[in-house]
Amino acid sequence: AQSVTQPDIHITVSEGASLELRCNYSYGATPYLFWYVQSPGQGLQLLLKYFSGDTLVQGIKGFEAEFKRSQSSFNLRKPSVHWSDAAEYFCAVGPPEYGNKLVFGAGTILRVKS
Amino acid sequence: EPEVTQTPSHQVTQMGQEVILRCVPISNHLYFYWYRQILGQKVEFLVSFYNNEISEKSEIFDDQFSVERPDGSNFTLKIRSTKLEDSAMYFCASQTKKNTEAFFGQGTRLTVV
């Protein structure tokens, strides 16, 4: 069965520092890949998605993610973190032949210190 | 910008009671979903709905659960007899067509006491 691993439960970075959140998936082929963000009291907002093509994808709020097939990874990056980026980040996989449901990772809580 | 709307944002119910969680998906979307997140756990798929019928459901989605799209705009999740372990955040999502991104609502926090 497909699965998604986000190895870091919590990450703390200083404002202005770079950020990388890790995501690995287990799946036999190339799935569709997503990053969602959840701020306190808010829903899940899509940051970016990968379906095919260029393996470096740009998203909203200055985020980007790189799909690496050889490592089964889809890590999320941002060059300079802002205090407003503090939230929980979820990586999700949408294997095409499993219909349209998403399989989520456990999430990474990002704290930003000033 | 169109968004998925869920009501209520928080519901407290007594064990054994029926609850209905409501969602208004984005208007031109055709695929609808419910997910849930128990506190401290992953977001889990419950059910998908297309063309007025369930297209897929997880093992969590047992006979206590049902979904309905009663009027072409609302999409509801009913839990017939709530249990303590049904306490969770429930998310509704919708998408335009297969293999596109899903848009999520802000969630309904259900607390069963």
Side-chain angles (χ1 to χ4, degrees):
Chain A
Q2 66 277 24
S3 65
V4 179
T5 302
Q6 292 180 248
D8 304 304
I9 299 172
H10 295 99
I11 281 186
T12 300
V13 299
S14 297
E15 192 169 14
S18 64
L19 170 71
E20 182 169 31
L21 302 182
R22 295 181 290 165
C23 172
N24 292 91
Y25 63 88
S26 172
Y27 180 62
T30 301
Y32 300 148
L33 297 158
F34 307 86
W35 276 98
Y36 285 86
V37 60
Q38 184 181 27
S39 299
Q42 302 296 311
L44 295 166
Q45 182 184 23
L46 180 69
L47 280 177
L48 46 74
K49 59 186 184 284
Y50 174 80
F51 289 112
S52 65
D54 193 347
T55 56
L56 184 64
V57 293
Q58 302 297 319
I60 62 171
K61 306 184 181 187
F63 285 92
E64 67 178 26
E66 185 171 13
F67 167 57
K68 292 186 177 179
R69 186 190 310 272
S70 60
Q71 298 175 18
S72 297
S73 69
F74 189 57
N75 293 349
L76 182 71
R77 301 193 294 247
K78 186 170 185 178
S80 177
V81 168
H82 188 261
W83 64 266
S84 60
D85 293 324
E88 188 162 17
Y89 292 80
F90 294 93
C91 181
V93 164
E97 66 267 33
Y98 287 96
N100 290 277
K101 69 180 183 186
L102 296 175
V103 176
F104 283 84
T108 298
I109 296 172
L110 173 66
R111 299 191 179 110
V112 180
K113 59 182 181 180
S114 54
Chain B
E1 185 177 322
E3 58 181 20
V4 177
T5 306
Q6 291 185 243
T7 55
S9 55
H10 191 189
Q11 178 149 6
V12 181
T13 189
Q14 295 222 326
M15 193 168 52
Q17 294 297 303
E18 174 183 287
V19 294
I20 298 176
L21 309 183
R22 301 182 191 281
C23 170
V24 179
I26 296 172
S27 63
N28 62 338
H29 285 194
L30 301 176
Y31 292 82
F32 313 106
Y33 307 86
W34 285 100
Y35 290 80
R36 79 173 185 189
Q37 184 184 28
I38 295 171
L39 190 63
Q41 298 187 22
K42 293 184 180 186
V43 177
E44 304 171 286
F45 167 79
L46 289 178
V47 65
S48 59
F49 192 86
Y50 170 71
N51 201 25
N52 284 319
E53 60 182 22
I54 290 174
S55 48
E56 188 177 358
K57 59 183 181 180
S58 72
E59 57 192 27
I60 303 168
F61 194 88
D62 61 22
D63 292 343
Q64 294 297 314
F65 292 89
S66 62
V67 290
E68 199 175 39
R69 189 159 160 79
D71 56 12
S73 60
N74 292 283
F75 179 52
T76 61
L77 175 69
K78 182 193 290 186
I79 308 175
R80 251 179 284 282
S81 177
T82 50
K83 304 187 280 282
L84 293 176
E85 54 264 38
D86 294 327
S87 295
M89 178 76 89
Y90 288 80
F91 291 106
C92 174
S94 68
Q95 66 187 107
T96 50
K97 55 185 180 179
K98 223 175 177 184
N99 302 330
T100 58
E101 65 268 34
F103 293 85
F104 283 77
Q106 79 280 16
T108 293
R109 180 163 296 287
L110 176 65
T111 302
V112 182
V113 296

